[in-house]
């Protein structure tokens, strides 16, 4: 089992920045990849960014490329999403996701953190 806890969401003006954190606990040594997704009201959950836990290789979705950065601190079992130049299309609940291998692959989700952007 892996437990995920997001923090760092809030209200920010358009053009501003926020840093989201996702702290993982439990069997984190089995985590293969960490990712961020978001879901706006009335829309499907969409991929934002991901990072491989061993290599650190990462990918960022096109809508946020150049504005959002994903990083990790292995010592703290924490993944970050640095969001800059926030736009009116960015508000959503941001969810942390972990892909874990425990004999078989499993996916875990955090409870989400709300990001609101004011114009």
């Amino acid at each position: 089992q892996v437990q995920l806890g997001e923090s760092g969401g809030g209200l920010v003006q358009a053009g501003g920045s926020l840093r989201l954190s996702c702290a993982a606990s439990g069997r984190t040594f089995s985590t293969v990849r960490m990712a961020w997704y978001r879901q706006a009201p009335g829309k499907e959950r969409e991929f934002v960014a991901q990072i491989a836990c061993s290599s650190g290789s990462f990918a960022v979705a096109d809508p946020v490329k150049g504005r959002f950065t994903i990083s990790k601190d292995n010592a703290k079992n924490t993944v970050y999403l640095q969001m800059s130049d926030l736009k009116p299309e960015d508000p959503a609940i941001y969810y942390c996701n972990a892909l874990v291998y425990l004999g078989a692959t499993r996916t875990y989700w955090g409870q989400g953190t709300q990001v609101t952007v004011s114009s």
Side-chain angles (χ1 to χ4, degrees):
Q1 291 276 1
V2 173
Q3 295 79 41
L4 304 173
E6 302 98 330
S7 62
L11 173 64
V12 64
Q13 286 189 329
S17 299
L18 278 176
R19 188 178 78 159
L20 306 183
S21 299
C22 173
S25 60
R27 305 183 69 173
T28 57
F29 58 87
S30 300
T31 304
V32 176
R33 181 223 68 204
M34 299 290 292
W36 288 96
Y37 286 74
R38 67 184 182 183
Q39 187 167 19
K43 295 187 177 181
E44 293 187 353
R45 191 170 298 189
E46 65 175 358
F47 168 77
V48 176
Q50 67 178 27
I51 187 165
C53 291
S54 58
S55 68
S57 62
F58 62 90
V60 180
D62 285 343
V64 304
K65 197 165 290 183
R67 300 188 296 120
F68 290 13
T69 303
I70 188 169
S71 62
K72 61 184 178 68
D73 184 332
N74 288 337
K76 296 181 179 180
N77 291 322
T78 300
V79 174
Y80 304 98
L81 185 68
Q82 178 67 48
M83 306 185 294
S84 303
D85 189 22
L86 283 158
K87 300 182 181 300
E89 58 264 33
D90 293 322
I93 298 175
Y94 283 71
Y95 295 92
C96 183
N97 169 279
L99 180 65
V100 178
Y101 183 75
L102 294 169
T105 54
R106 295 184 181 181
T107 298
Y108 295 90
W109 293 93
Q111 81 285 354
T113 185
Q114 179 73 53
V115 171
T116 304
V117 179
S118 64
S119 56

